[in-house]
């Protein structure tokens, strides 16, 4: 008999740091500890094993009165579902149903009903959110007047420790706006005034826009075509091709070979194509003057423009820095996670939630995945591989917060749960809580709250060093340019 068990819904995320994935925890339960839970007015007893190899086994006993109620309901439903000669719909007695459908039919349905009804209560009572559906061991069907016992095995996420539980050290941009940040924003605005001029006296440079005719020699069908336009440094052309193109002049022809990126498990073969340079356009940015500030951007002069940019950056920092601090603190904590390889089941659960969230976002924009892949010029294999990498990162961050919550002995109160629902904008908190309990989803809510509290502690106690990242980036770019010039 196949038991259709309700799968717990994922926990609500605290911030954009985590997707709507199930963030799981488990409470270590002694094999002698027992629970008494309610199931639709009845009672079920649960004994849970210790967790071994990430697995917890629960043995569940349903009270005899609940079994009898389920059997009675199963016969009622059978009487309504099928036609029995000589009886009105829903009025056939049990002996007639047994003789027509078989004595095991209604009892099997009653067994499925009591197991499915108990499934959410098991999760609530043990306060667990498994990484996948439980493996139910249902060996017999229910009997009249007897309690019923079955077992279920749950796979739980790993519980690795951290190498250190001390506050993390992170770098953050200063709260105050720096001159280099204003410079960077002004430079970005000036980019809108860029024009492109034909180049005749030199070869292709790193920031040029070029027009090429590409003839496929071997494995270069995707690049082949006449008068194709490319932006150097955009990543559309393979890196090896861009390097080989640098210095080529208009009308020059060159055959270039490169090794494409691997797709899936197949080993890529070397590709080659013949490239003819048809046109080179240089990116020219005008000098910023008071006149340009007024005519192009509507400011009286450069000083007024910079003042406006400063105000905009201040507003952006006020809204962005708190989440940036949280992201960096959690990422630093995840580096301390003592886990060499991520549990496959847990990573897969996070992967599925990331993927579903992404597809939902695309649907809201009226775009399919195929359309997005084509626009982004990546393959489905590349997308899936990148999503798995993200899932691994998110899973590690989640497990790191779990470890910190255990070390801090974070507790979740009823008031915390109520506040979580209120913050979500739920109109009827009690009704929503009842729904979550009925579906076995309350443990996921408590998981989310534990992580939130651990994250709050982490952010509050983080040791922050302020760094002007715009100035640091400029220094790095200058160093790269000097190195390129020297070469």
């Amino acid at each position: 008999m196949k038991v259709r068990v309700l799968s717990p819904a994922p926990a609500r995320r605290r911030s954009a740091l985590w997707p709507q994935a199930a963030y799981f925890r488990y409470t270590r339960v002694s094999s002698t500890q027992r629970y008494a839970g309610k199931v639709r007015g009845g009672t079920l007893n649960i004994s849970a094993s210790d967790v071994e190899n990430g697995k917890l086994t629960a043995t569940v006993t349903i009270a005899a009165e609940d079994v009898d109620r389920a059997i009675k309901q199963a016969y009622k439903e059978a009487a309504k579902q099928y036609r029995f000669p000589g009886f009105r719909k829903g009025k056939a007695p049990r002996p007639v149903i047994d003789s027509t459908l078989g004595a095991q039919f209604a009892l099997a349905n009653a067994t499925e009903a009591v197991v499915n009804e108990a499934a959410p209560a098991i999760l609530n009572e043990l306060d667990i959110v498994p990484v996948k559906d439980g493996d139910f061991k249902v060996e017999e069907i229910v009997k009249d007047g007897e309690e019923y016992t079955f077992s279920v095995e749950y796979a739980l996420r790993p519980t690795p420790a951290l190498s250190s539980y001390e506050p993390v050290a992170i770098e953050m941009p200063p709260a105050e706006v720096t001159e280099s940040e204003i410079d960077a924003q002004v430079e970005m605005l000036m980019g809108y005034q860029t024009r492109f001029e034909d180049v005749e006296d030199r070869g292709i440079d790193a920031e040029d826009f070029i027009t090429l005719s590409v003839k496929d020699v071997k494995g270069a069908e995707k690049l082949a075509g006449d008068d194709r336009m490319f932006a150097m440094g955009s990543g559309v052309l393979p890196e090896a091709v861009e390097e080989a193109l640098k210095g080529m002049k208009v009308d020059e022809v060159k055959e270039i070979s490169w090794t494409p990126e691997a797709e899936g498990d197949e080993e890529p073969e070397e590709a080659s194509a013949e490239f003819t340079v048809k046109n080179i356009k240089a990116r020219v940015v005008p000098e910023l003057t008071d006149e340009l500030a007024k005519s192009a951007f509507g400011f009286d002069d450069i000083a007024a423009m910079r003042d406006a940019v400063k105000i905009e950056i201040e507003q952006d920092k006020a809204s962005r820095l708190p989440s940036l601090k949280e992201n960096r603190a959690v990422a630093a904590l995840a580096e301390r996670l003592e886990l060499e390889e991520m549990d496959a089941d847990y990573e897969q659960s996070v992967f599925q939630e990331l993927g579903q969230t992404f597809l939902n976002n695309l649907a809201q924009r009226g775009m399919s995945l195929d359309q997005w892949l084509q626009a982004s010029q990546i393959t489905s294999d590349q997308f899936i591989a990148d999503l798995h990498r993200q899932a691994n990162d998110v899973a590690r961050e989640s497990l790191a917060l779990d470890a910190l919550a255990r070390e801090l002995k974070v507790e979740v109160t009823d008031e915390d749960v109520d506040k979580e629902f209120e913050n979500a904008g739920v109109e009827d908190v009690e009704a929503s809580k009842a729904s979550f309990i009925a579906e076995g989803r309350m443990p996921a809510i408590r998981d989310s709250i534990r992580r939130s509290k651990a994250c709050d502690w982490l952010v509050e106690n983080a040791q922050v060093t302020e760094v002007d990242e715009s100035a640091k980036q400029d220094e790095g770019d200058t160093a790269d340019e000097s190195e390129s010039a020297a070469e």
Side-chain angles (χ1 to χ4, degrees):
M1 181 187 65
K2 182 179 179 181
V3 179
R4 299 186 298 273
V5 180
L6 293 174
S7 177
R12 184 175 65 84
R13 63 183 178 182
R14 179 179 186 275
S15 72
L17 173 63
W18 305 299
Q20 290 181 336
Y23 300 107
F24 311 125
R25 69 171 290 277
Y26 80 86
T27 302
R28 186 171 177 81
V29 181
S30 169
S31 57
T32 60
Q33 190 169 358
R34 297 183 65 84
Y35 299 83
K38 293 290 185 180
V39 48
R40 291 196 184 179
T43 303
L44 62 104
N45 291 317
I46 307 169
S47 61
S49 70
D50 289 332
V51 177
E52 295 183 3
N53 298 321
K55 302 290 180 65
L56 178 149
T57 300
T59 301
V60 184
T61 300
I62 310 291
E65 56 267 28
D66 296 318
V67 172
D68 289 341
R69 175 180 56 80
I71 292 174
K72 184 177 179 180
Q73 182 63 30
Y75 275 100
K76 277 187 176 181
E77 292 176 358
K80 292 178 180 179
Q81 184 176 0
Y82 299 96
R83 294 180 59 87
F84 298 93
F87 296 92
R88 288 180 297 161
K89 189 173 183 179
K91 299 298 182 179
R94 178 170 177 172
V96 173
I97 295 174
D98 285 345
S99 63
T100 304
L101 301 177
Q104 305 294 310
F105 179 82
L107 295 180
N109 286 345
T111 303
E112 182 176 319
V114 296
V115 172
N116 284 338
E117 192 173 297
I122 300 170
L123 302 177
N124 288 329
E125 293 298 330
L126 298 183
D127 195 23
I128 59 172
V129 188
V131 298
K132 58 183 180 180
D133 290 340
D135 182 11
F136 285 77
K137 311 294 184 182
V138 181
E139 299 176 354
E140 297 180 353
I141 61 175
V142 295
K143 297 178 182 178
D144 290 287
E146 296 183 13
E147 60 184 22
Y148 181 72
T149 300
F150 67 92
S151 64
V152 54
E153 183 181 78
Y154 295 109
L156 306 175
R157 69 184 181 278
T159 57
L162 300 176
S163 59
S164 170
Y165 294 90
E166 295 298 317
V168 297
I170 59 174
E171 292 184 350
M172 286 288 294
E176 298 76 19
V177 180
T178 66
E179 289 299 311
S180 61
E181 290 172 334
I182 297 175
D183 291 341
Q185 185 71 9
V186 169
E187 182 179 349
M188 186 192 73
L189 292 173
M190 289 299 295
Y192 296 119
Q193 303 302 311
T194 298
R195 64 179 187 275
F196 297 92
E197 298 179 350
D198 289 338
V199 173
E200 301 290 347
D201 59 346
R202 65 168 175 81
I204 296 172
D205 202 358
E207 297 183 354
D208 289 339
F209 280 73
I210 57 177
T211 302
L212 304 172
S213 286
V214 185
K215 181 180 179 181
D216 175 32
V217 176
K218 178 183 178 184
E221 299 88 352
K222 293 182 179 180
L223 287 181
D226 292 329
D227 298 327
R228 297 202 59 187
M229 296 186 65
F230 299 95
M232 293 289 286
S234 65
V236 176
L237 290 169
E239 185 177 348
V241 172
E242 286 202 359
E243 287 299 318
L245 287 172
K246 289 179 182 178
M248 289 181 63
K249 296 183 178 180
V250 174
D251 294 331
E252 188 174 345
V253 181
K254 180 188 291 187
E255 184 173 316
I256 302 172
S257 299
W258 71 96
T259 302
E261 291 186 7
E263 295 186 10
D265 297 329
E266 296 183 3
E267 189 70 24
E269 296 183 1
E270 186 178 70
S272 60
E274 183 182 273
F275 294 84
T276 302
V277 180
K278 306 299 288 291
N279 180 261
I280 305 173
K281 291 184 179 294
R283 180 174 178 267
V284 179
V285 180
E287 180 184 358
L288 178 60
T289 63
D290 288 339
E291 182 180 350
L292 184 61
K294 186 171 185 177
S295 62
F297 302 104
F299 297 103
D300 291 339
D301 51 31
I302 295 176
M305 180 178 178
R306 292 180 67 85
D307 288 342
V309 167
K310 180 179 180 180
I311 293 173
E312 182 179 343
I313 296 175
E314 285 175 343
Q315 294 173 344
D316 177 67
K317 280 192 169 187
S319 62
R320 182 175 57 87
L321 290 186
S323 60
L324 179 63
K325 182 178 181 182
E326 182 176 295
N327 290 355
R328 292 186 176 182
V330 174
L333 186 73
E335 293 178 0
R336 300 176 178 178
L337 193 68
E338 295 185 329
L339 181 68
E340 293 184 4
E341 185 175 352
M342 179 56 62
D343 177 77
D345 288 333
Y346 182 50
E347 188 272 346
Q348 182 64 23
S349 70
V350 177
F351 170 83
Q352 290 173 346
E353 290 296 339
L354 279 172
Q356 190 58 55
T357 299
F358 183 77
L359 292 177
N360 290 342
N361 290 338
L362 285 182
Q364 291 175 2
R365 294 159 53 188
M367 181 180 290
S368 69
L369 179 59
D370 287 340
Q371 291 172 330
W372 183 86
L373 291 174
Q374 185 175 4
S376 303
Q377 296 186 327
I378 63 173
T379 67
S380 58
D381 287 341
Q382 290 171 330
F383 170 73
I384 290 172
D386 184 62
L387 198 61
H388 272 296
R389 284 191 291 270
Q390 292 183 49
N392 189 280
D393 290 342
V394 170
R396 293 186 69 86
E397 291 174 351
S398 301
L399 294 180
L401 285 173
D402 287 341
L404 180 60
R406 290 193 298 271
E407 177 69 15
L408 297 175
K409 295 181 173 57
V410 172
E411 295 183 356
V412 178
T413 65
D414 292 340
E415 290 75 15
D416 292 330
V417 173
D418 288 343
K419 186 176 180 181
E420 187 79 359
F421 280 89
E422 291 168 0
N423 291 341
V426 174
E427 293 183 3
D428 190 336
V429 171
E430 292 304 320
S432 185
K433 284 168 55 181
S435 176
F436 270 64
I437 292 172
E439 297 172 4
R441 298 166 62 187
M442 194 57 76
I445 295 298
R446 289 193 286 268
D447 268 359
S448 177
I449 295 171
R450 289 185 187 94
R451 282 202 182 94
S452 294
K453 288 188 173 185
C455 189
D456 289 342
W457 181 93
L458 182 69
V459 172
E460 183 179 349
N461 292 277
Q463 299 173 355
V464 177
T465 300
E466 289 191 348
V467 176
D468 187 344
E469 296 177 351
S470 293
K472 187 176 181 179
Q473 179 66 40
D474 289 341
E475 292 174 0
D477 291 343
T478 301
D480 290 342
E481 290 173 1
S482 298
E483 184 177 342
S484 298
E487 291 177 355

